[in-house]
Each structure stands twice: as structure tokens, then as C-alpha cells.
Amino acid sequence: MGFLAIRSLFHKDSVNDYHDVLVPLEKAQRHPTVEVEYARRRSAEAHDNNGDLDGAKKEAGPLNAGESSGEEGVMGTRSANYSPYTIEGLRSEVMEDVAASGHDSTYDLKSKVINKAIQDIGMGRYNWELFILCGFGWCADNLWLQGIAVTLPSLQAEFGISETRVRYTTCALFTGLCVGAGFWGIGSDIMGRRLAFNLTLLIASVFGIAAGAAPSWIGACGLFAALGVGVGGNLPVDGALFLEFLPTASGRHLTLLSVWWPVGQLVASLIGWGFLGSHYAVDKGWRYFVYTMGAMTFVMFLSRFALFHLFESPKFLLSRGRQAEAVAVVHGMASKNKTKTWLTEDILNEIGGHPEVVQVQKLTNMEIVDRKLSSFSTERIAPLFHTRKLAITTLLLWFCWLTIGIGYPLFNAFLPQYLSNGRNASGQRVSSYETYRNYAITSVVGVPGSIIACYTVDIPYIGRKGTMAIATMLSGIFLFLFTISSDSKYQLGFSSVEAFFQNIMYGVLYAYTPEVFPAPNRGTGTGISSFLNRIGGLCAPIIAANIPDTSPEAPIFVSGALLLAAFVAMIFLPIETRGKQML
């Protein structure tokens, strides 16, 4: 199996590997969900334009020729002769998309054609299998964040570290997470999604297992930082990979990936309860716990590497000049989903140019890095402030990501410590068993929040903003209520309800953020949001570690205040995205 897995990792796909999946372009049909989304987009555009089409054409410039009725020889998608499944029809749709993106190279033209082909394949078996395996990455991210939180009391006891100083352990992990997010985000565009997709969990598992044998607290911090470099790549790599194989009309499925986040906490809490809340010695329980976490991460890696044939991203293959393989990947996806596709190299060449005519198709490593870094250039950021409404939305949303990025780990990354200070009915501190049992119960109650968030966002008169704001407000309130009593039962109740609403908050925030930014600058807006969230997470343990031992509840007060500040910002968000679909 191992040999086959390694061979699969470097296997070059060919259209000859997949039979009976190709149909002539003129016989192709749009996927029903895509047809609905195009109808909605046209309806929205007609409403927004208010009949001022001439002014829109003039402002849009020459690349919007696809919207005209023949400017520069390109058929418009509103032309009476327009048909989506002719070369001219595909060209007109591609030109519209290119006009919005601001890039019109051969690579961009052909990648838009591949997007159309994936749309028409629709959501199928391959996408759902990829959803599960990408979910492992999201799960592993929070698995280790909460896992290290679980080990803090044991690290404190074994190595004789103060309750506040031991919180720098979490800071070490966040340092690795930040480095990993930046390195793998760019590295996956150079080495390929498939290699990065497998290496992130492999690195996390190897250093995770090694951390269980750490001889000192400093050694443990170093190994946790190293595993953070691996696990930190999961969110950017897995999210990008899943998105590149996701039919655009099924974009809501990307939001469902957030369901795996609380699953990571649940798994960590249940395993922690078993090892740290039982009879194991203080210097043994946390080590067995970390060994188990590392082994689980390695099993996730094996599931990706040995049990699943991952196709390389067709966009990556195009960027490296491997056009034939990109077409073969789309054929392979159609075969796995038991459907058809119309994509051929000839169609790509008709729209994007023939290789012998177009000299430069391959992007160099520097061009790839420049494209990544250009997302943070003033030219890419400025459109996010193009109108007053969009500028207000951008600033408020970034403020929310930063404050939540600090507030979330200030409470959750140290929750086992807070719960261990609780008192039972006799007034004594709770046992380790009760601490980790309560932590596990809190995690169980929090899981349904992410699932419910997928449905509450479409409730009339509440929508994304209302659901997100209410959940954030209640999360902040319950954080303050957590501190009113040291009774472990009160703390369990309030931490459980807070976890439930907190997962609703995060689930909706992940959905709302990409929806609210305009398509050409969506990557920039969401990228900066994620960056601010990670920076906030890095600051959280530093804040918690520098609060005096005499004020153990101070980090919780700060966390609650930050979430309430985010709630106020959400109230003033001027854009509601309920009922508006991305395409």
C-alpha cells in the first residue's frame, strides 16, 4: 500500500486513464444549480444597474466587452445569439470573469474555463471525500490548540512553572501556526497542493509524538512550535484545495468545513479526560495524551496519503505549464463523480491561446510569489474602500476578526485551568477527573452550534448579521457570568452555553466574510481577516501570561469585553448577504 501511495503522489494523470466521460461541447448541459445561480446573478445585476447599462459599459473598460453585444468581436452574454455551450459563448463568460479579476493572462483565461467545467460536473463523491479529508486538517488545527490547553495544568505541576508563565506554551504553538500559515500558503503554490496537503499533517504528527517525550518545559514548547508549523498550513492549504475542486454554486459547502473545528476540541477533551482525569501520574498522563494525539494525527495523514487518490489542483498544473494534466484531472473528477465533462485541450487553446502561439504559459516561482503578495498590495486593498459602505464594512469586519482572535483563545486556550479552580459542594477544589469531565461536556455541547449556524443564517429579518451579532453578544455575556461563582456546576453550565453560541458566531463569521467582499478582492479581504485573527491568537497567551496570579479571572473579563466589542461592531455592519449568492 505504501508503494502505491508514493506512486500515486507523483503520478501524472492522463485523459487516457478515464473513458466515457467526454461529451461534445454542443451536447453539454449546465448543472441545474449553476443555472439557478446565473439567473439570480442576472436578476441582481439588472436591479443594480437600473437601466444604466451605457454608463456601466463606459466605466468597466475594454475587458468588459463580454457584456456588450459584440465590442471587439466578443459576443455578449446578453446577446440574442448567446449560447453558453459554444466557443464564443464560453469566451464571453470567461471575458466577463477576467474583467472582474483584473488578470487577463493565458493562465487566467484557461483557469476560468476549467472553473466552468468543474461547475458543470457538480458536487459528487470526489468532493465529499475531499470534504472529509480537508476536514481532518481543520480538526487537527483545533485538536492541538485545545490539546495543549489540556496539558497546561500537568506541565505546570511536573516542571514547577507558575500558572501564568506556563501559558507561554500556547504562545509557542501560535508562533508555529503563524509561520506555517505563511509558509504553506505560498509553498503550496510552488510545490503543489497535493504535496503540501500530505506534508502538513505528517510534520504535525511527527513532532506531536516527539513532544510527548520532551525532557523539559522549554523542549516541549519547541516541539509544540514545530508541530504548529505543520498544522498551521491546514487551514490555508485545505481550504484552497477544497475550494478549487468545489462547484461555485455549491460554495455553501465551504462553510460546512467549520463544523470540523469544534470536533477537534471534542476529541481532545474526551482523550484528555481519559488520560489526565484518571489515575495516571502527573508526569505520565499528559505524555500518553500527547502520544495519542500525535498518533491520531498520523492516522489522518495515512488516510490522505494511502487511502485516497488526490488529484493535483488543475490551477496549479496550469500555472506550471502542465495543461494536459489539468484537463485529465477534470476528467478524473467527472469519472469519480460518475458524470460527464466537455473540457478538452482544444477548447482551452481556442479560448486561452495555442501553446505554439502563446509563448509564455508557465508562471515562474517569483510570479507565483508576487501574485500571492500582491493580495496585500495597496492596489488590491484600495478597492475594499471604494465606497463608503464597503469601507465601513471592511474596517468593522477586520476589527471583529482581530478582537475575536484575541478573545477566543483568552478563554478557550486556558479553559482547563479555569475549570480546575472551581469548587465542589464541600468548598474544595474539584479533582482532575471533574475538571476534564466538565471540559468534555463543554465540548460536546458546543458541537451543534456550528451545524445550527448553517440554517439560522437564512432566517428572514435575522440573516447573517443578526445571527452573528446575537451569538457574539450571548457569548460575551456568558463569559462574564462564568466568573460570578466558583461553583463548578455554575461554571460548567455557563462554559457549555458559551461554547454553543461561540461556535455559531464563528460558523457565521466564516460564511459572511467571503460573501461580503467583492469577488476581485475577496482573497485580499479574507486573507487579511485570517492574518489579523492569527496575530490576535499570538497576542492572547502573552496577555494571559502577564496578568498577575492574584487576578485569575482577569483574562476572562478581557475575553468577554473583546467579544462584546465585536458585537457592537457587528451591529453597525451595513451589508447583509442573506439571499445573495456568490458566483
Side-chain angles (χ1 to χ4, degrees), residues 290-317:
V290 173
Y291 286 143
T292 304
M293 298 266 285
M296 285 186 59
T297 307
F298 188 71
V299 170
M300 293 180 188
F301 157 72
L302 287 179
S303 299
R304 289 179 168 187
F305 184 65
L307 302 180
F308 178 72
H309 175 62
L310 175 69
F311 295 118
E312 182 56 89
S313 163
K315 288 188 177 180
F316 167 76
L317 293 172

Side-chain angles (χ1 to χ4, degrees), residues 524-536:
T524 301
T526 55
I528 294 177
S529 299
S530 179
F531 172 76
L532 292 174
N533 188 254
R534 288 296 194 189
I535 291 298

Side-chain angles (χ1 to χ4, degrees), residues 245-326:
F245 281 104
L246 186 68
T248 314
S250 302
R252 186 176 181 181
H253 292 98
L254 184 62
T255 306
L256 282 177
L257 274 178
S258 65
V259 173
W260 289 93
W261 180 263
V263 170
Q265 178 176 342
L266 174 61
V267 173
S269 63
L270 292 175
I271 298 175
W273 184 14
F275 284 109
L276 301 172
S278 58
H279 62 278
Y280 290 101
V282 67
D283 62 336
K284 300 294 184 183
W286 78 268
R287 295 182 185 276
Y288 296 152
F289 168 74
V290 173
Y291 286 143
T292 304
M293 298 266 285
M296 285 186 59
T297 307
F298 188 71
V299 170
M300 293 180 188
F301 157 72
L302 287 179
S303 299
R304 289 179 168 187
F305 184 65
L307 302 180
F308 178 72
H309 175 62
L310 175 69
F311 295 118
E312 182 56 89
S313 163
K315 288 188 177 180
F316 167 76
L317 293 172
L318 273 182
S319 72
R320 311 309 289 173
R322 295 155 64 180
Q323 176 176 290
E325 291 178 61

Side-chain angles (χ1 to χ4, degrees), residues 61-401:
L63 275 178
N64 276 345
E67 295 185 6
S68 70
S69 57
E71 183 178 349
E72 294 187 359
V74 180
M75 178 191 296
T77 58
R78 298 180 182 85
S79 170
N81 297 324
Y82 167 73
S83 173
Y85 291 110
T86 62
I87 294 297
E88 288 303 317
L90 283 175
R91 183 179 286 115
S92 64
E93 289 188 12
V94 167
M95 293 304 291
E96 285 187 359
D97 290 344
V98 166
S101 68
H103 295 288
D104 60 349
S105 67
T106 298
Y107 162 78
D108 294 290
L109 293 170
K110 293 186 176 182
S111 67
K112 297 298 182 184
V113 177
I114 286 180
N115 283 347
K116 304 292 182 186
I118 291 177
Q119 283 179 9
D120 289 334
I121 290 175
M123 195 77 180
R125 176 183 173 183
Y126 181 80
N127 305 89
W128 285 115
E129 290 179 353
L130 190 60
F131 172 80
I132 294 173
L133 295 178
C134 287
F136 284 169
W138 286 54
C139 177
D141 193 290
N142 206 23
L143 181 76
W144 282 105
L145 175 61
Q146 302 303 327
I148 290 178
V150 167
T151 65
L152 294 184
S154 297
L155 292 173
Q156 177 186 346
E158 178 176 348
F159 298 114
I161 306 167
S162 68
E163 182 178 354
T164 52
R165 190 180 177 211
V166 77
R167 293 170 181 171
Y168 280 111
T169 311
T170 306
C171 185
L173 174 67
F174 268 103
T175 301
L177 291 175
C178 290
V179 173
F183 173 79
W184 293 110
I186 295 177
S188 65
D189 285 341
I190 296 175
M191 69 180 71
R193 307 281 193 269
R194 184 158 56 181
L195 188 60
F197 184 72
N198 287 288
L199 284 180
T200 51
L201 285 184
L202 177 61
I203 292 173
S205 63
V206 169
F207 285 104
I209 294 173
S216 64
W217 176 61
I218 296 298
C221 288
L223 290 168
F224 285 147
L227 78 86
V229 173
V231 82
N234 284 313
L235 294 188
V237 173
D238 297 5
L241 181 65
F242 184 60
L243 183 62
E244 288 176 0
F245 281 104
L246 186 68
T248 314
S250 302
R252 186 176 181 181
H253 292 98
L254 184 62
T255 306
L256 282 177
L257 274 178
S258 65
V259 173
W260 289 93
W261 180 263
V263 170
Q265 178 176 342
L266 174 61
V267 173
S269 63
L270 292 175
I271 298 175
W273 184 14
F275 284 109
L276 301 172
S278 58
H279 62 278
Y280 290 101
V282 67
D283 62 336
K284 300 294 184 183
W286 78 268
R287 295 182 185 276
Y288 296 152
F289 168 74
V290 173
Y291 286 143
T292 304
M293 298 266 285
M296 285 186 59
T297 307
F298 188 71
V299 170
M300 293 180 188
F301 157 72
L302 287 179
S303 299
R304 289 179 168 187
F305 184 65
L307 302 180
F308 178 72
H309 175 62
L310 175 69
F311 295 118
E312 182 56 89
S313 163
K315 288 188 177 180
F316 167 76
L317 293 172
L318 273 182
S319 72
R320 311 309 289 173
R322 295 155 64 180
Q323 176 176 290
E325 291 178 61
V327 173
V329 164
V330 176
H331 284 216
M333 180 180 171
S335 177
K336 196 71 177 284
N337 288 357
K338 299 187 183 304
T339 185
K340 307 289 184 180
T341 183
W342 45 262
L343 185 68
T344 65
E345 280 198 80
D346 289 338
I347 292 176
L348 283 181
N349 293 336
E350 284 289 336
I351 295 176
H354 291 265
E356 59 270 18
V357 176
V358 180
Q359 296 299 319
V360 181
Q361 290 195 93
K362 178 179 177 180
L363 298 179
T364 66
N365 289 343
M366 284 306 301
E367 286 175 329
I368 292 173
V369 174
D370 286 342
R371 283 193 174 215
K372 275 288 185 181
L373 297 180
S374 68
S375 294
F376 300 95
S377 67
T378 54
E379 292 182 359
R380 302 293 294 173
I381 295 176
L384 298 176
F385 298 87
H386 182 63
T387 65
R388 184 174 181 273
K389 179 185 287 189
L390 185 57
I392 293 174
T393 300
T394 299
L395 291 175
L396 291 178
L397 202 52
W398 286 350
F399 175 79
C400 290
W401 276 102

Side-chain angles (χ1 to χ4, degrees), residues 426-441:
S426 60
Q428 297 180 341
R429 290 185 62 169
V430 296
S431 65
S432 296
Y433 175 85
E434 291 175 293
T435 296
Y436 293 106
R437 180 205 63 188
N438 291 350
Y439 183 61
I441 294 173

Side-chain angles (χ1 to χ4, degrees), residues 429-512:
R429 290 185 62 169
V430 296
S431 65
S432 296
Y433 175 85
E434 291 175 293
T435 296
Y436 293 106
R437 180 205 63 188
N438 291 350
Y439 183 61
I441 294 173
T442 298
S443 301
V444 170
V445 175
V447 170
S450 294
I451 301 173
I452 292 175
C454 294
Y455 298 96
T456 57
V457 292
D458 290 322
I459 297 177
Y461 307 111
I462 297 180
R464 267 70 159 165
K465 287 198 307 178
T467 301
M468 184 167 55
I470 293 171
T472 305
M473 177 191 68
L474 292 175
S475 297
I477 291 174
F478 283 116
L479 284 175
F480 283 105
L481 293 177
F482 179 88
T483 65
I484 65 175
S485 174
S486 60
D487 189 306
S488 62
K489 294 181 179 178
Y490 279 97
Q491 291 184 339
L492 172 60
F494 289 129
S495 64
S496 298
V497 179
E498 190 276 338
F500 175 79
F501 287 108
Q502 180 180 258
N503 285 331
I504 293 179
M505 171 194 73
Y506 251 127
V508 180
L509 189 61
Y510 272 113
Y512 179 82

